[in-house]
Each structure stands twice: as C-alpha cells, then as structure tokens.
Amino acid sequence: GAGVSQSPSNKVTEKGKDVELRCDPISGHTALYWYRQSLGQGLEFLIYFQGNSAPDKSGLPSDRFSAERTGGSVSTLTIQRTQQEDSAVYLCASSLVLAKNIQYFGAGTRLSVL
Amino acid sequence: KNEVEQSPQNLTAQEGEFITINCSYSVGISALHWLQQHPGGGIVSLFMLSSGKKKHGRLIATINIQEKHSSLHITASHPRDSAVYICAVPPYSGGSNYKLTFGKGTLLTVNP
C-alpha cells in the first residue's frame, strides 16, 4: 500500500472489554513496531516484529497486552480487560530492515476506555 | 535506559525565523531519529543520523556523538512547520535499535 494503515482510527470502549487494533504495514516492509502515546507522555515502545523471528515483547506493559503478525504482514494488537489507563494513541510503524531504514508511521488508533 | 532531554519544550517563532531544537541523551548510541508530529497526530520520520549532518529542504539535523547531542534546525520557518518535533534514541550503541526512547517533544508554533 501507499503507507502504513491503522484501523480503527478511533475506538471507544467500556472498562473490562477486549479491543483489537489493526496495522497494515507498507508492502515489503519486514519490520513492524507498535508504540503507545499516552496523554502528556512521550511515545513508548511496546513490541517489535522482524520477519519470521520471534517478536520482542519486552515493552508490553502487562499480560493483558498481546500482539501477533500473520503471514509477515498485518499485525493485530489486542488489549484484554481494558482499563482506563490504557487510554492512549496506539501507533504502528514499519521499515524495510531493522535499524537501517527510517520507520514509517501510521496515523494511529485513539483508544478511549470509559 | 537512555535518558532523552529536549529543549525547549515550547517554541514560538515568527515566519522566516531560524529555528533550533536541541536533544541530549545519556548513553552513547549509533543513530538518532528526529520525528515530526502534526496537530492531527500523524508522525513523520524526518531523519535518522549517526554522524555529522543531514539536510532535507529547509530542515537540517546535526549530531555530535562524543557530546551526546543533536540539533534540528529549520531555516526560513513557515507556519506549516508548526508541529511537535521529537527525537528518539536506542538504548545504547549496538543495542536493539528498535527499542527507541523518545523525548517529550518540542512544540513549535510559527506565526505568520
């Protein structure tokens, strides 16, 4: 595609519900990253996928967060039993090769947990 | 974890002025990123640099690896440059370059 696509752009949910956020990276990009930007906070790294290697999940804030990448392309970030502190903008980025290329960011999903 | 500090936090300029935004970090790295986030939230990667200077249009980024410092300059600033500018660094030189630590950003407002 022309750029990194994320859906939905906005998601409002009730505390305790599960949500799924989708990221469709640029075609051919093997590296995919998820970040979170909370209100008043800087961006923080969540999880990283590179090709068929096991993902680096060390940035996930709790075991309620998980992510998968199917077929080396589309990725889904799942948050179970959402809490109000999960409210944030979730950003996805992709790049050709780890650390050698600029990351291209999606527009993000704004998650609001009521 | 690499600590990142940006200055200033907020910057207001008149159209045409030369802008400088600074970024300092605590642990030696191999490359540093500059990002631009517009009011709508979209993020664009401006530069990834490991030494010296890079230029793209009116934007210039410099880095001094020894001093652990980078600057982003905007020449002949324009209202459309109004955005948050963010620098980001990996945890250490040779470390996992995807585990970026981000600065809190500099909010730039350029008035016509």
Side-chain angles (χ1 to χ4, degrees):
Chain A
V4 178
S5 177
Q6 289 188 246
S7 61
S9 55
N10 284 281
K11 176 71 177 179
V12 180
T13 190
E14 293 178 352
K15 179 181 172 182
K17 294 281 178 69
D18 297 352
V19 295
E20 283 189 352
L21 312 180
R22 177 189 166 103
C23 173
D24 200 342
I26 293 173
S27 178
H29 281 194
T30 58
L32 186 146
Y33 319 75
W34 281 99
Y35 300 99
R36 178 170 74 173
Q37 187 173 37
S38 304
L39 187 63
Q41 303 291 320
L43 285 151
E44 60 175 325
F45 163 81
L46 296 179
I47 188 169
Y48 159 75
F49 295 89
Q50 171 58 44
N52 295 320
S53 303
D56 183 333
K57 306 177 183 180
S58 59
L60 294 178
S62 80
D63 59 8
R64 295 185 295 104
F65 287 71
S66 63
E68 62 177 24
R69 189 179 184 190
T70 54
S73 181
V74 172
S75 177
T76 303
L77 177 69
T78 301
I79 309 173
Q80 295 178 309
R81 306 181 302 282
T82 52
Q83 303 294 312
Q84 287 185 331
E85 61 263 28
D86 299 334
S87 296
V89 176
Y90 290 83
L91 290 148
C92 174
S94 71
S95 67
L96 276 172
V97 178
L98 165 65
K100 296 184 186 301
N101 294 86
I102 282 177
Q103 296 181 28
Y104 293 84
F105 284 78
T109 293
R110 183 174 298 278
L111 175 66
S112 300
V113 182
L114 304 178
Chain B
K1 182 179 175 181
N2 215 332
E3 301 294 328
V4 181
E5 286 195 15
Q6 285 187 237
S7 63
Q9 286 187 320
N10 291 280
L11 180 57
T12 300
Q14 287 301 122
E15 184 173 355
E17 286 185 3
F18 181 83
I19 304 293
T20 295
I21 299 170
N22 297 298
C23 176
S24 296
Y25 49 91
S26 59
V27 179
I29 58 170
S30 53
L32 176 145
H33 301 249
W34 279 103
L35 310 169
Q36 179 191 56
Q37 184 169 31
H38 276 283
I43 292 180
V44 174
S45 185
L46 298 174
F47 297 102
M48 187 172 78
L49 70 164
S50 54
S51 65
K53 178 169 78 173
K54 282 193 176 181
K55 185 174 188 291
H56 184 236
R58 294 180 294 106
L59 300 176
I60 303 167
T62 64
I63 189 168
N64 185 318
I65 294 290
Q66 287 72 32
E67 294 188 2
K68 302 186 183 63
H69 180 269
S70 175
S71 292
L72 177 67
H73 306 285
I74 305 175
T75 61
S77 59
H78 190 276
R80 64 174 173 266
D81 297 326
S82 298
V84 176
Y85 292 85
I86 303 167
C87 74
V89 299
Y92 54 89
S93 181
S96 305
N97 273 312
Y98 52 84
K99 284 187 183 179
L100 297 177
T101 298
F102 297 83
K104 289 191 171 2
T106 294
L107 174 59
L108 171 65
T109 304
V110 181
N111 294 317

